[in-house]
Amino acid sequence: MRSHIEAPAAAPAKAKLVQRYFSAIARRYDLANDVLSFGLQRAWKRQAVRCLQLAPGDWVADLCGGTGDLALLAAPRVAPHGRVLLYDFTREMLLLGREKMAAASLAHLIYPIQGDVLRLALPDGSLNGVIVGFGVRNLTDMAQGFREMHRVLKRGGRLVCLEFSHPTPAWFARLYELYSRFLIPAAGRIIAGHAAAYTYLTTSIRAFPTAPELAALLTGLGFTQVSWLPLTRGIAVIHVGVKG
Ligand SMILES: C[S@@+](CC[C@H](N)C(=O)[O-])C[C@H]1O[C@@H](n2cnc3c(N)ncnc32)[C@H](O)[C@@H]1O
């Protein structure tokens, strides 16, 4: 496994690169997700939101929330008095999210915030739940991101992390490797006009910790009852942790 903690000197450059990529692909981001995952990402996201076990009135944050799919799925579960904070540092992604929200009935429960997940502008112990979908892989300091998530959760609050992972068994992993190495960048170029962003996607997935490694990281950072659920033979994994 390559280290998921970047050298400090590389961090600002990586953050800028990530922002540049997501600004460039924002308009085609949702479409590319659906095509590249054969629509599976929608079911993965629904499952992830179920894992939050939200109740009416809860306050929850969708971190690295992008165009707000998870926020939109969470809103009906916290209605009518709860709130969903949609937190992302790429303005273009949030603007696209705002367009989607305009068409949704519970949009008034969702508050978009442009900011860095590594320094959340939220008080300690303020949230019942935190969800992060396909986001932590992009952080320049993933452990710091999880520390912030732990800080802003109330005791008993749940973290749900949905992220790409490493599929099994070996024959399926080899097939997926071919798909991700060759087809994803080509499809990214055709759909979103940006092969480099999709090459970055596949290299960042390969460098990402395995499910047990990520669980160990979360436990080490103070989360309790850490568990994980592989999706579609482990192409994606949901990790859940509770603030004890
Ligand atoms: C792959 S997208 C995921 C979007 C959404 N959660 C989803 O599942 O469709 C990753 C998002 O993370 C955001 N991001 C990456 N690093 C961030 C940081 N340090 N702070 C806030 N947002 C960040 C990017 O701007 C991008 O919108």
Side-chain angles (χ1 to χ4, degrees):
M1 180 192 89
R2 255 179 40 198
S3 169
H4 47 76
I5 313 272
E6 300 282 318
K14 175 173 169 177
K16 278 205 168 60
L17 188 75
V18 166
Q19 257 180 325
R20 215 174 46 237
Y21 283 165
F22 283 104
S23 304
I25 65 171
R27 192 142 288 278
R28 309 306 287 275
Y29 174 78
D30 289 334
L31 174 67
N33 275 356
D34 273 338
V35 173
L36 293 174
S37 75
F38 305 101
L40 287 169
Q41 59 118 13
R42 292 182 182 233
W44 297 341
K45 285 176 174 169
R46 282 196 300 273
Q47 177 72 46
V49 172
R50 278 197 291 274
C51 289
L52 269 175
Q53 298 183 4
L54 292 168
D58 279 355
W59 280 61
V60 59
D62 173 9
L63 302 180
C64 298
T67 61
D69 279 353
L70 293 166
L72 281 163
L73 289 168
R77 292 172 178 266
V78 302
H81 299 301
R83 292 290 179 270
V84 184
L85 310 178
L86 171 60
Y87 214 103
D88 200 287
F89 70 4
T90 306
R91 185 179 150 78
E92 287 76 3
M93 293 290 275
L94 289 175
L95 288 175
L96 262 291
R98 206 166 63 177
E99 285 177 24
K100 273 156 70 173
M101 262 141 237
S105 59
L106 293 170
H108 61 285
L109 302 183
I110 304 174
Y111 287 64
I113 301 170
Q114 188 179 1
D116 191 341
V117 163
L118 299 182
R119 289 181 297 275
L120 290 171
L122 298 170
D124 296 358
S126 52
L127 299 177
N128 304 94
V130 162
I131 188 161
V132 55
F134 307 112
V136 290
R137 196 174 17 88
N138 300 295
L139 299 178
T140 52
D141 185 341
M142 187 165 60
Q144 170 60 18
F146 284 130
R147 260 182 234 113
E148 277 293 86
M149 297 177 206
H150 189 271
R151 179 182 68 73
V152 298
L153 277 172
K154 295 181 182 184
R155 288 202 180 281
R158 290 168 85 83
L159 161 73
V160 170
C161 172
L162 167 65
E163 193 46 272
F164 289 112
S165 193
H166 305 280
T168 54
W171 68 265
F172 185 70
R174 275 198 294 277
L175 212 63
Y176 178 72
E177 171 70 13
L178 290 175
Y179 172 68
S180 73
R181 206 174 274 274
F182 300 108
L183 288 181
I184 290 183
R189 181 170 43 77
I190 294 163
I191 300 165
H194 209 303
Y198 286 85
T199 303
Y200 160 76
L201 166 73
T202 58
T203 34
S204 63
I205 294 171
R206 278 193 286 276
F208 196 67
T210 63
E213 285 167 345
L214 188 58
L217 175 69
L218 292 174
T219 305
L221 292 170
F223 286 97
T224 62
Q225 303 171 50
V226 173
S227 62
W228 71 86
L229 174 69
L231 304 165
T232 318
R233 293 180 184 266
I235 290 179
V237 173
I238 294 172
H239 280 78
V240 180
V242 176
K243 178 164 173 177

